[in-house]
Amino acid sequence: MLHNNHKIALLLLIFLLLPLLSGCWDSKEIDKRANILAIGIDEAKTKEQKHEDEIAHFKNKLPISNEKMIKLTAQIAVPGRIPLGPEQGGGGPTNPVLVIPVVGHTIDDALVNLQQEVSNPLFLGHLRIIVLNEKVARKGTQQINDFLRRNPQIRRTANLVVSKEHASSYMKVNPKLERIPSLYLADMIDNLSGLGKFPPSFIGLFWTHLSSKGQDAYLPYLSIKGKDNIQLNGLALFKGERMAGKTSPLEIGDFMSVIGIYKGGYGAFSMVPGTDTVVMIGTKTRRSRIKVYLKKGKPHVLIRVRYECEIDEKQSQKVYIANSGMVKKIEKEFSGSVEESIKSFIKKTQSKESDIFGFGEYFRAKLPKYWKGRVRTKENWEKIFKNDLTFNVKVDTHLNRVGMKAK
Amino acid sequence: MEDTKEVSTLQATSILISTIIGVGVLPLPLFAVQSGDTGAPIVTLSGIVLAAIGLFILTFLGVRHPQNTIVTYNENIIGKWIGKLCSFIVIIFFFILTGLAAREFGEVVVAAVLRETPLEVTVIVMLTLACLSARNNINTFTYIHNFYVPVILAPGLIIVALSLKNGNILYLQPLLGSNLQDMFTGMLTISALFQGSFVMTMIIPYMKEPKKAMKASFWGIFVSGGLYLLIVIATVSVFGPEEIKQILWPTLELARTTAVPGNILQRLDVIFLAVWVTAVFTTIFSSYYFTINSIKEVFSLKDHKMLSYFILPIVFILAMIPQNLIQMYEIIQFIGKIGLIITIFYPGLLLLIDIWLSWRRKKSVTQQS
């Protein structure tokens, strides 16, 4: 009998606990959420600054001045309009996303203001891409990073990009290749990395570089071409948390050579020695080796790059690539021109005090005595990178194939 | 003693592994990096070695007294009343340890996964689970641990393996990142994460071959310590020491960043958290069981089942004492260091006295003959 009572008590306890196990407090139906897919951040114009109502704070009671206000444009998925499979014919031109602009003093302030305009709870778990306008990036990213780091919904694999035009216009572009604009944008960055056009880039990596003492961060720099096309226009160089400059698209190739991203994606024209003809040489793979020394107490870097290449195109029919001597000459010519290009690129980053290659990390890791005695902080390293660092580049090109055409 | 089957050496090993691996994996790389910078792996390794020394001392003591656990055989060594006092301290320490582990679990769940669920609910569900399971005898205890060990180990190893390809070896250099004093503090903090291994003293009396307890201890600390070391290496090489200092739970962040190739899973934190809940459960379960089992033995009670319910409110209240997350980690690190006195220094002292006593006894025997 006693045993039975005991069993009943246990059963009751289990039933009592059962509802707790499901964690119902957090259960939210997916269509009752406002899934934010992309965010664009701009500076707020004077006119727009007045749009903010007293939601997260009272007017003029915040130590952040109105000049630092941001305009946040969010792209929210409309439930039921996100196509799941391949697109079926018919159906009206329904827009799968809703674009809402809000202003605020900080990113969270803006999101609080946004929530005031949207009935469903905002959800950031599907945020794929954050577009920062160049002006915002140049002012500093620290405040944005702080919010994104704290929020558990944000994925570390989301993309962060810098835009030439207003970030809000990226929220509105309507690429034809994909129904959902933000997914197209995010996939574009990932796919270009896969093609060897861009070094791996996602927000977690950006933060890692930002924190590292001997390295500065980089981000993709985008611009809009025509009406609905987006172009990868270069690298945004950072000095600390602020953007310091940008590169040309071809310099991305130089950058990837230095850090040794294996998959090659860029091609470059090279003169055939002794003629006025150019050939297009496409890189297939790259390897690099970086060695650091101290030369008379000053840091020195030796970069060796090794290319495996292929001739993609020849401009004129007058010149034949007929023997291996010729190939050797082209290799040499190409190596020389790439060397020059890499050197001028490193000089450019030096002038911006932006060590995106992470040479400083090599010094920190390999020469700890020098680092602890002379450098210690990121700011010091940026100065040394600009003023003291010398470097040497050696490029080794191997032209292995010429395509399917003889001669 | 009730009719129980005996615990094999392998089972003892798995009890140790699943007890040690617990809530501490999440902040582990942060602790290591805070005191060791790029030397985090070395700090971790030294912490593991210190913990191993403590465990070996405890096991050695246990092998010398294969019939009892530390809360009873200490009375033979240092006398009845001092012995009882020390046992009380051990029990109180494990009370606090159980409560803090449950609280840390709750904090992670509320901060990272179930944002709206009240903290009290997650803590009480976890404690009730441990409370109900702790009513079973030592065999069920063993089986539960044995059953969960592969589930705890495999995903951890998978995450480490998948994330290492994103690693940067520069972040692990130079090997000695900071000064010796900081590294020493770090060693203590890390070694405090292994305090669960103290349950070994409770298992030895039930073992089939208590003489092989040393083997179980070695493999237990080798496997769990190895996993901890791998996690530190992977996390530091992926994020770099400076970035880790910005993250509260770097291991969770590592799981969030790591993707299974081929876009099958874009982030692994879901799997990781599910496993981690299991790992936390086995840890809390062990310390809970150890607490009530020790109370039972100190008071020479027949059964521990009823005690299980009685201590639940106390543990819950202990878990609720820290006012916020930052205070909680301050308390955890403080209690952890005090715990080292209890889990390493105290058994060490007992062992020395014990050896001295038996040496004196032997001497008096030879003098008589």
Side-chain angles (χ1 to χ4, degrees):
Chain A
M1 192 59 205
L2 197 93
H3 196 69
N4 250 348
N5 271 345
H6 181 82
K7 266 194 173 161
I8 290 167
L10 200 71
L11 210 69
L12 279 176
L13 191 68
I14 287 172
F15 275 110
L16 213 69
L17 285 171
L18 219 55
L20 300 184
L21 284 174
S22 58
C24 299
W25 285 270
D26 290 278
S27 106
K28 289 239 166 54
E29 300 304 324
I30 190 158
D31 55 341
K32 290 279 181 290
R33 274 173 171 166
N35 288 307
I36 298 184
L37 299 175
I39 284 179
I41 298 170
D42 288 302
E43 281 181 314
K45 292 183 199 121
T46 335
K47 204 174 77 194
E48 288 162 341
Q49 285 170 7
K50 298 198 179 104
H51 278 293
E52 196 191 23
D53 292 309
E54 296 181 341
I55 292 169
H57 54 87
F58 290 108
K59 280 204 168 121
N60 307 324
K61 290 218 171 160
L62 209 64
I64 308 170
S65 74
N66 279 359
E67 273 138 45
K68 285 188 184 153
M69 275 178 80
I70 55 166
K71 181 178 145 202
L72 182 147
T73 315
Q75 202 176 82
I76 300 172
V78 180
R81 291 217 199 128
I82 301 285
L84 290 173
E87 201 177 334
Q88 309 286 312
T94 51
N95 200 349
V97 291
L98 174 71
V99 176
I100 308 179
V102 282
V103 285
H105 285 81
T106 64
I107 184 167
D108 198 27
D109 186 26
L111 283 175
V112 169
N113 295 342
L114 177 64
Q115 182 70 77
Q116 211 77 3
E117 297 176 26
V118 180
S119 70
N120 294 337
L122 296 175
F123 183 66
L124 292 165
H126 293 288
L127 182 66
R128 286 289 302 275
I129 190 158
I130 301 154
V131 184
L132 283 182
N133 179 250
E134 189 178 338
K135 282 182 193 148
V136 179
R138 280 184 192 275
K139 272 188 180 171
T141 54
Q142 202 54 54
Q143 179 251 108
I144 294 161
N145 292 334
D146 187 84
F147 170 75
L148 298 175
R149 269 207 180 102
R150 268 178 217 282
N151 193 312
Q153 293 172 351
I154 304 283
R155 305 179 186 204
R156 261 188 118 78
T157 45
N159 285 305
L160 185 64
V161 297
V162 177
S163 70
K164 189 177 172 192
E165 291 82 6
H166 285 295
S168 58
S169 45
Y170 285 78
M171 298 297 113
K172 286 169 203 148
V173 289
N174 194 8
K176 297 287 177 286
L177 283 172
E178 173 105 52
R179 286 282 302 271
I180 305 150
S182 55
L183 293 191
Y184 176 76
L185 218 60
D187 284 344
M188 183 173 151
I189 307 294
D190 291 345
N191 293 346
L192 286 178
S193 288
L195 283 174
K197 289 276 183 197
F198 200 78
S201 159
F202 51 93
I203 197 161
L205 198 67
F206 174 69
W207 289 337
T208 303
H209 291 161
L210 212 55
S211 303
S212 298
K213 285 179 178 168
Q215 176 154 30
D216 281 296
Y218 59 85
L219 284 178
Y221 185 89
L222 302 182
S223 76
I224 293 179
K225 292 276 145 164
K227 191 166 151 277
D228 283 334
N229 282 337
I230 296 158
Q231 188 202 45
L232 180 62
N233 196 243
L235 278 168
L237 308 173
F238 278 75
K239 173 185 183 297
E241 48 131 5
R242 286 160 205 264
M243 180 175 161
K246 74 165 285 272
T247 71
S248 69
L250 188 59
E251 279 166 335
I252 303 175
D254 291 336
F255 173 60
M256 292 172 77
S257 308
V258 174
I259 61 171
I261 301 286
Y262 181 72
K263 182 115 175 76
Y266 283 88
F269 286 114
S270 179
M271 292 291 278
V272 180
T275 65
D276 55 353
T277 309
V278 291
V279 285
M280 176 67 139
I281 295 177
T283 39
K284 294 297 155 205
T285 65
R286 334 176 171 89
R287 276 169 225 269
S288 81
R289 194 169 278 177
I290 295 175
K291 278 199 172 157
V292 293
Y293 310 93
L294 285 180
K295 264 190 183 173
K296 292 176 196 151
K298 301 237 162 140
H300 179 80
V301 189
L302 175 64
I303 306 146
R304 283 172 187 278
V305 184
R306 185 194 157 98
Y307 282 115
E308 304 275 328
C309 296
E310 196 175 311
I311 292 180
D312 285 343
E313 191 182 33
K314 179 156 60 71
Q315 179 216 18
S316 129
Q317 294 302 326
K318 279 181 263 169
V319 181
Y320 295 118
I321 303 168
N323 54 46
S324 58
M326 191 85 163
V327 174
K328 273 260 154 7
K329 275 184 195 161
I330 298 177
E331 281 176 354
K332 215 171 168 196
E333 174 76 22
F334 184 72
S335 297
S337 68
V338 171
E339 255 174 49
E340 285 313 306
S341 156
I342 290 179
K343 275 180 186 165
S344 75
F345 175 56
I346 296 180
K347 286 218 176 85
K348 186 170 171 181
T349 61
Q350 277 183 314
S351 72
K352 305 275 185 208
E353 295 185 33
S354 171
D355 179 13
I356 54 171
F357 312 98
F359 292 143
E361 281 297 305
Y362 283 87
F363 283 103
R364 189 191 52 68
K366 311 280 184 196
L367 303 165
K369 249 190 201 155
Y370 166 75
W371 182 269
K372 280 190 178 146
R374 303 284 300 278
V375 191
R376 284 190 165 268
T377 65
K378 188 163 185 161
E379 289 70 32
N380 288 347
W381 171 249
E382 280 162 354
K383 290 218 171 61
I384 292 173
F385 176 69
K386 182 182 182 184
N387 301 323
D388 292 349
L389 184 89
T390 51
F391 58 87
N392 202 3
V393 186
K394 288 217 169 84
V395 179
D396 195 10
T397 312
H398 293 262
L399 262 178
N400 295 340
R401 268 162 286 276
V402 293
M404 304 253 280
K405 183 168 174 276
K407 296 185 175 177
Chain B
M1 201 164 283
E2 44 194 311
D3 177 34
T4 50
K5 275 190 238 154
E6 288 167 322
V7 179
S8 73
T9 316
L10 182 71
Q11 283 169 332
T13 313
S14 51
I15 290 174
L16 274 178
I17 296 172
S18 74
T19 303
I20 292 172
I21 299 174
V23 73
V25 267
L26 292 192
L28 166 76
L30 177 66
F31 291 160
V33 161
Q34 273 173 344
S35 49
D37 244 314
T38 48
I42 302 263
V43 173
T44 315
L45 191 65
S46 61
I48 294 168
V49 170
L50 181 64
I53 292 171
L55 181 59
F56 292 158
I57 291 173
L58 188 76
T59 317
F60 195 58
L61 259 178
V63 175
R64 289 170 68 93
H65 303 268
Q67 298 305 318
N68 296 310
T69 75
I70 197 163
V71 292
T72 46
Y73 64 65
N74 64 357
E75 291 174 17
N76 303 334
I77 301 173
I78 50 175
K80 191 167 181 193
W81 292 107
I82 303 179
K84 278 230 192 301
L85 184 73
C86 290
S87 301
F88 269 127
I89 295 172
V90 169
I91 289 168
I92 289 170
F93 172 66
F94 268 85
F95 255 117
I96 299 172
L97 211 61
T98 317
L100 285 178
R103 173 61 184 267
E104 198 180 350
F105 165 77
E107 287 290 352
V108 176
V109 170
V110 168
V113 202
L114 304 172
R115 308 263 294 164
E116 305 292 327
T117 309
L119 172 75
E120 289 79 4
V121 173
T122 39
V123 171
I124 203 133
V125 167
M126 185 48 97
L127 283 178
T128 315
L129 267 176
C131 168
L132 290 178
S133 322
R135 288 173 53 81
N136 296 304
N137 62 18
I138 195 89
N139 278 321
T140 323
F141 176 82
T142 312
Y143 290 148
I144 289 177
H145 280 294
N146 213 359
F147 180 74
Y148 281 131
V149 160
V151 187
I152 293 170
L153 284 179
L157 290 174
I158 290 171
I159 288 172
V160 167
L162 286 175
S163 58
L164 272 179
K165 74 173 183 344
N166 301 326
N168 180 352
I169 198 153
L170 288 178
Y171 287 141
L172 295 169
Q173 291 169 303
L175 281 177
L176 288 173
S178 63
N179 55 35
L180 283 176
Q181 198 192 341
D182 283 348
M183 288 179 79
F184 182 72
T185 336
M187 176 178 88
L188 297 184
T189 315
I190 303 273
S191 131
L193 299 176
F194 288 80
Q195 275 158 353
S197 60
F198 206 69
V199 294
M200 192 60 192
T201 182
M202 180 181 78
I203 304 162
I204 292 174
Y206 295 102
M207 279 181 73
K208 207 183 285 170
E209 298 162 280
K211 292 225 160 7
K212 285 194 175 168
M214 209 47 141
K215 203 174 153 192
S217 288
F218 174 76
W219 283 109
I221 207 121
F222 183 80
V223 173
S224 53
L227 184 74
Y228 272 28
L229 190 61
L230 280 176
I231 285 177
V232 169
I233 292 174
T235 322
V236 175
S237 69
V238 169
F239 293 132
E242 295 304 317
E243 175 68 8
I244 288 180
K245 287 177 193 163
Q246 308 254 355
I247 309 173
L248 204 49
W249 297 302
T251 313
L252 182 61
E253 211 62 62
L254 183 71
R256 282 157 62 100
T257 313
T258 310
V260 175
N263 266 348
I264 303 167
L265 281 171
Q266 286 189 331
R267 47 199 269 190
L268 287 173
D269 56 337
V270 185
I271 299 178
F272 178 77
L273 277 172
V275 170
W276 175 76
V277 169
T278 324
V280 172
F281 165 70
T282 51
T283 308
I284 293 179
F285 176 40
S286 277
S287 53
Y288 203 98
Y289 196 94
F290 180 79
T291 314
I292 55 175
N293 195 58
S294 303
I295 296 177
K296 178 193 100 179
E297 286 183 7
V298 168
F299 290 103
S300 329
L301 303 175
K302 258 194 160 163
D303 188 37
H304 67 273
K305 282 186 183 163
M306 222 34 226
L307 283 170
S308 175
Y309 292 142
F310 283 132
I311 72 161
L312 180 63
I314 308 174
V315 177
F316 179 69
I317 289 167
L318 282 176
M320 287 302 130
I321 286 177
Q323 293 300 303
N324 54 50
L325 187 126
I326 292 165
Q327 196 190 31
M328 180 191 78
Y329 271 112
E330 281 167 9
I331 294 178
I332 286 178
Q333 298 209 351
F334 175 70
I335 293 287
K337 277 178 197 138
I338 296 215
L340 290 179
I341 302 175
I342 296 169
T343 53
I344 297 178
F345 181 70
Y346 167 60
L349 202 66
L350 280 184
L351 183 66
L352 282 182
I353 299 174
D354 193 31
I355 291 174
W356 181 64
L357 282 178
S358 60
W359 174 73
R360 210 176 56 172
R361 225 176 284 138
K362 218 188 263 169
K363 208 170 132 190
S364 63
V365 169
T366 45
Q367 270 172 0
Q368 275 165 9
S369 61

